[in-house]
C-alpha cells in the first residue's frame, strides 16, 4: 500500500502562538451511534473515514469526536486514532492534549518516528527544550537517515542558541544523504548528469537552505559585533546588517522559528 | 425554449459529473479499519455538507471495495436523487433491495422517486412491502398516505395516518399530511358544490380561503360563527 505523507511546514507565529494555546479541557465521550453492532474493524474504518473527512472540511471538533469514538468505544489501543486525533488537536491549538495523544501512540509503538518527530515540534512550541531535543534524537536513534528529524533538530538547536551544533547537524545531513555528491555532479561542467536523472531527497536539499540561514545568522552576529565595536565604522556593514536583520524579521526568523520545523501528518499512520 | 435551456443545463451538469467521476481518485484509505466503511463515512460527511456529487463518488469508492453492502447502494441512490439523476438513483435502490430484499430504506426512497415520477402503482407496491415487513414503519405509513391522497383515496389515506398516529401521536409530519388530506377533501367537496350549483354560485360560508382562516381562528377564539353559514333551515 502506498504511503502518502503530507509534509507541512509550520507557519509563522506558531511559536508565538504557544502563548495562545488553548487550555485543554477534558473531552467528554461523544455519542458514537454509527454502525453499532457491526464488527470493530468496520466501525473503526467508518470513524477514521468520518474523522478525516471532517478534518478536510475544517470541522475540527467533529473530527476530534470521530477519533475519540474509536478510542472510547471501539479500541482504546488504536494507534491510528491517537495519531489522527493528535493532528486535529494540533490544528485546534490544543497542543498539550496533542502531546498526550502522541505519547499514548508511543506507549503502544515506541518506534513510531512520526509521533516522536511531531511531539518534538509540539514540545518546541511549548518551550520544553529538553523534551523536544530528546524526541528528535530518539527519531535519529531509530532511523539515522531521517533527515527531516535531523533538520528539525538543527532548527531547534539554533533556536536554543547552539548555532555551531545546528551547523554540525546540517552538515551531517548533507554528508550522510549523499546530496553533496549529487550537487557536485550537477555542478561539474564535465558531467552529463541532469537534475531529472537524480532522485533528490527534499529534506537533504532543505539542509542547504537551513545551512544558509544558519550562516546568515552567524553573519548577522558578526556584523553586530563589528558595529558594537565600531559604531561609526563602514556604513556598508551597517547596511548589510540592516538588510539581514530585516530578512530575519520577515523571512528567515529563527527566534520564533517553528517556521522551519516540519511535521509529518500521515493519514495512514498507525499501521 | 425553457425546455431547451433546461436540457442544456442538465447536459452540462451531467457532463461535469461524469468528468468528475473520470478524474476522481478514491482517497488513500487508512491502514487500519475496514476500507469500504472508511469511504462510506467520507460519503456520509460529503452528503451532510450537501456536496452530493462528491458523496456519489465516495460511495462509489465504497462499492468498488465492497459491492455486496446494500447500504452503500442505497446511500449513493439517495445522493443521485439529490442531484436529480433519478434513473441512477432508482437503479441503485433496486440493486440494494436485490442484495437484501429486506432492506427497507431503499424501498422507501425508491417509492419516493416513483411517486415523483407519477408511477404510483410501483410506489404503492414498495411501501406496502415495507409495511408487510414493518407494520409500524412511520415513514412508510406517511408516504403511503400521500399516495392514497394523490389517488383521491382519502379513506385509505386517513387510515394510514391514523395508524401512524396510533403508534406515535407526536409524529408532527403526520399532522401535516393529514391536513393535506382533509384540504384535498375540502377542495374536492367545494368542487362538487360548484359542479352542482354552477360556477357563479355563492358559497354558503364564504370562499374556501375565508372559511379556512375563520375555522382556524375559531379554534383559538371559540367563535363558531363560521359553522352557522352552512346550517340548512327547514321549510
Amino acid at each position: 500500500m502506498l504511503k502518502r505523507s503530507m509534509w507541512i511546514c509550520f507557519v509563522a507565529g506558531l511559536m508565538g502562538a504557544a502563548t495562545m494555546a488553548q487550555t485543554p479541557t477534558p473531552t467528554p465521550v461523544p455519542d458514537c451511534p454509527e454502525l453499532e453492532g457491526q464488527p470493530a474493524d468496520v466501525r473503526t474504518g467508518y470513524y477514521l473515514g468520518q474523522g478525516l473527512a471532517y478534518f478536510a472540511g475544517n470541522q475540527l471538533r467533529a473530527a476530534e469526536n470521530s477519533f475519540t469514538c474509536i478510542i472510547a468505544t471501539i479500541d482504546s489501543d488504536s494507534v491510528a486514532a491517537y495519531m489522527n486525533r493528535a493532528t486535529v488537536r494540533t490544528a485546534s491549538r490544543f497542543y498539550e492534549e496533542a502531546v498526550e495523544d502522541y505519547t499514548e501512540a508511543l506507549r503502544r509503538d515506541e518506534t513510531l518516528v512520526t509521533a516522536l518527530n511531531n511531539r518534538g515540534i509540539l514540545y518546541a512550541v511549548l518551550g520544553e527544550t529538553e523534551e523536544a531535543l530528546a524526541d528528535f534524537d530518539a527519531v535519529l536513534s531509530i532511523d539515522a537517515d531521517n533527515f527531516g528529524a535531523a533538520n528539525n533538530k538543527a532548527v531547534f538547536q539554533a533556536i536554543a542558541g547552539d548555532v555551531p551544533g545546528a551547523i554540525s547537524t546540517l552538515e551531517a545531513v548533507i554528508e550522510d544523504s549523499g546530496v553533496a555528491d549529487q550537487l557536485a555532479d550537477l555542478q561539474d561542467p564535465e558531467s552529463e548528469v541532469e537534475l531529472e536523472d537524480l532522485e533528490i531527497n527534499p529534506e537533504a536539499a532543505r539542509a542547504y537552505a537551513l545551512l544558509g540561514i544558519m550562516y546568515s545568522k552567524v553573519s548577522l552576529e558578526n556584523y553586530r559585533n563589528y558595529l558594537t565595536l565600531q559604531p561609526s565604522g563602514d556604513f556598508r556593514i551597517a547596511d548589510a546588517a540592516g538588510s539581514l536583520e530585516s530578512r530575519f524579521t520577515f523571512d528567515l526568523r529563527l527566534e520564533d522559528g517553528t517556521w522551519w520545523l516540519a511535521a509529518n501528518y500521515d493519514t495512514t499512520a498507525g499501521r | 425554449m425553457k425546455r431547451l435551456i433546461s436540457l442544456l443545463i442538465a447536459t452540462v451538469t451531467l457532463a461535469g459529473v461524469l468528468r468528475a467521476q473520470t478524474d476522481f481518485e478514491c482517497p488513500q484509505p487508512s491502514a487500519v479499519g475496514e476500507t469500504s466503511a472508511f469511504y462510506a463515512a467520507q460519503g456520509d460527511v460529503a452528503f451532510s455538507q450537501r456536496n452530493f456529487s462528491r458523496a456519489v463518488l465516495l460511495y462509489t469508492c465504497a462499492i468498488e471495495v465492497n459491492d455486496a453492502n446494500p447500504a452503500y447502494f442505497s446511500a449513493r441512490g439517495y445522493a443521485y436523487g439529490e442531484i436529480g439523476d433519478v434513473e441512477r438513483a432508482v437503479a441503485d435502490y433496486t440493486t440494494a433491495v436485490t442484495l437484501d430484499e429486506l432492506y427497507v430504506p431503499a424501498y422507501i426512497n425508491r417509492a419516493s422517486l416513483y411517486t415523483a415520477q407519477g408511477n404510483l402503482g410501483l410506489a404503492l407496491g414498495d411501501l406496502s412491502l415495507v409495511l408487510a415487513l414493518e407494520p409500524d414503519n412511520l415513514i412508510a405509513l406517511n408516504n403511503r398516505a400521500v399516495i392514497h391522497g394523490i389517488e383521491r383515496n382519502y379513506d385509505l389515506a386517513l387510515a394510514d395516518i391514523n395508524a401512524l398516529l396510533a403508534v406515535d401521536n407526536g409524529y408532527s409530519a403526520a399532522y401535516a399530511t393529514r391536513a393535506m388530506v382533509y384540504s384535498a377533501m375540502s377542495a374536492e367537496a367545494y368542487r362538487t358544490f360548484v359542479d352542482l350549483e354552477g360556477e357563479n354560485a355563492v358559497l354558503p360560508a364564504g370562499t374556501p380561503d375565508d372559511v379556512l382562516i375563520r375555522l382556524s381562528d375559531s379554534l383559538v377564539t371559540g367563535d363558531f360563527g363560521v359553522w352557522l353559514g352552512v346550517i340548512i333551515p327547514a321549510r
Side-chain angles (χ1 to χ4, degrees):
Chain A
M1 186 181 299
L2 287 174
K3 179 180 178 184
R4 186 174 61 182
S5 298
M6 184 169 57
W7 285 89
I8 300 175
C9 284
F10 266 49
V11 294
L14 190 55
M15 188 74 136
T19 54
M20 297 189 294
Q22 298 187 28
T23 305
T25 51
T27 308
V29 178
D31 288 334
C32 307
E34 302 295 347
L35 306 180
E36 265 181 331
Q38 298 260 355
D41 71 321
V42 173
R43 296 194 73 213
T44 298
Y46 188 90
Y47 279 112
L48 281 174
Q50 186 187 62
L52 290 172
Y54 280 135
F55 184 58
N58 205 33
Q59 293 176 260
L60 300 181
R61 177 53 62 92
E64 183 175 342
N65 285 345
S66 298
F67 300 128
T68 300
C69 277
I70 297 172
I71 294 164
T73 69
I74 304 170
D75 178 9
S76 61
D77 286 326
S78 173
V79 171
Y82 285 114
M83 293 293 288
N84 283 300
R85 193 171 68 174
T87 302
V88 174
R89 287 175 162 179
T90 302
S92 303
R93 296 187 174 177
F94 293 141
Y95 299 135
E96 290 174 6
E97 290 186 344
V99 165
E100 287 172 14
D101 276 345
Y102 283 130
T103 301
E104 290 298 329
L106 287 162
R107 280 200 186 114
R108 289 154 181 83
D109 181 357
E110 61 187 13
T111 65
L112 207 54
V113 292
T114 306
L116 285 165
N117 181 69
N118 293 359
R119 190 177 66 175
I121 292 172
L122 288 169
Y123 277 138
V125 170
L126 292 167
E128 297 182 35
T129 310
E130 287 181 20
E131 288 84 353
L133 275 176
D135 274 352
F136 296 138
D137 282 334
V139 173
L140 294 171
S141 70
I142 295 166
D143 177 10
D145 291 337
N146 191 317
F147 303 121
N151 286 341
N152 285 343
K153 178 183 174 183
V155 171
F156 196 73
Q157 285 174 304
I159 291 169
D162 181 13
V163 175
I167 290 172
S168 172
T169 301
L170 293 168
E171 285 176 340
V173 169
I174 290 167
E175 183 63 30
D176 297 344
S177 66
V179 73
D181 295 334
Q182 292 175 314
L183 183 63
D185 276 344
L186 287 171
Q187 292 175 333
D188 180 357
E190 308 270 313
S191 170
E192 294 181 359
V193 172
E194 300 287 338
L195 183 59
E196 300 76 46
D197 302 329
L198 299 173
E199 194 172 328
I200 306 290
N201 182 321
E203 283 304 311
R206 205 163 74 93
Y208 277 112
L210 293 172
L211 202 54
I213 294 171
M214 301 305 162
Y215 283 125
S216 293
K217 187 173 174 61
V218 173
S219 296
L220 180 60
E221 283 168 4
N222 281 299
Y223 289 144
R224 281 175 176 160
N225 290 343
Y226 168 77
L227 292 168
T228 300
L229 296 169
Q230 294 288 312
S232 304
D234 190 331
F235 72 92
R236 292 171 297 183
I237 299 301
D239 286 349
S243 173
L244 262 183
E245 188 145 20
S246 174
R247 292 189 63 202
F248 267 102
T249 303
F250 295 107
D251 297 330
L252 303 175
R253 53 188 164 190
L254 282 169
E255 284 77 9
D256 61 353
T258 43
W259 263 98
W260 295 95
L261 294 170
N264 182 3
Y265 296 125
D266 178 1
T267 58
T268 67
R271 68 191 63 209
Chain B
M1 187 63 182
K2 272 186 178 174
R3 287 178 65 186
L4 179 62
I5 292 170
S6 299
L7 185 63
L8 280 171
I9 291 170
T11 306
V12 170
T13 304
L14 186 59
V17 170
L18 291 175
R19 185 170 60 248
Q21 284 176 333
T22 306
D23 296 343
F24 185 79
E25 283 186 23
C26 297
Q28 179 76 9
S30 171
V32 295
E34 205 277 322
T35 301
S36 66
F38 177 86
Y39 289 136
Q42 300 212 333
D44 288 349
V45 172
F47 192 96
S48 72
Q49 294 166 337
R50 304 191 61 77
N51 191 342
F52 303 119
S53 297
R54 182 170 171 80
V56 162
L57 297 168
L58 288 162
Y59 290 134
T60 301
C61 294
I63 289 167
E64 284 171 0
V65 177
N66 177 4
D67 62 4
N69 189 330
Y72 301 157
F73 284 98
S74 185
R76 190 175 68 175
Y78 198 29
Y80 271 133
E82 289 293 325
I83 57 177
D85 193 340
V86 175
E87 195 175 328
R88 282 192 171 95
V90 168
D92 272 351
Y93 289 136
T94 300
T95 304
V97 297
T98 303
L99 289 168
D100 179 0
E101 60 186 14
L102 305 181
Y103 196 75
V104 163
Y107 286 118
I108 291 176
N109 289 336
R110 188 172 68 175
S112 297
L113 291 176
Y114 283 149
T115 303
Q117 290 177 315
N119 292 326
L120 302 183
L122 293 173
L124 270 180
D126 276 353
L127 295 174
S128 295
L129 180 57
V130 170
L131 289 166
L133 295 168
E134 297 179 4
D136 290 343
N137 188 300
L138 304 182
I139 298 172
L141 282 167
N142 180 80
N143 293 358
R144 193 170 71 175
V146 170
I147 296 168
H148 287 318
I150 293 169
E151 293 188 319
R152 300 161 76 168
N153 290 325
Y154 303 123
D155 289 345
L156 294 175
L158 291 173
D160 275 347
I161 290 297
N162 291 336
L164 187 167
L165 291 171
V167 177
D168 180 1
N169 65 8
Y171 195 82
S172 60
Y175 292 100
T177 306
R178 187 157 74 174
M180 285 283 288
V181 173
Y182 282 120
S183 295
M185 293 172 70
S186 166
E188 192 163 308
Y190 272 115
R191 196 70 251 158
T192 304
F193 175 83
V194 169
D195 287 346
L196 291 170
E197 293 289 328
E199 200 62 49
N200 296 322
V202 177
L203 296 168
T207 66
D209 287 349
D210 288 341
V211 169
L212 187 61
I213 291 167
R214 291 172 66 197
L215 281 171
S216 181
D217 289 346
S218 76
L219 294 175
V220 179
T221 64
D223 177 1
F224 52 82
V226 62
W227 287 100
L228 301 180
V230 287
I231 285 180
I232 301 170
R235 297 185 190 276

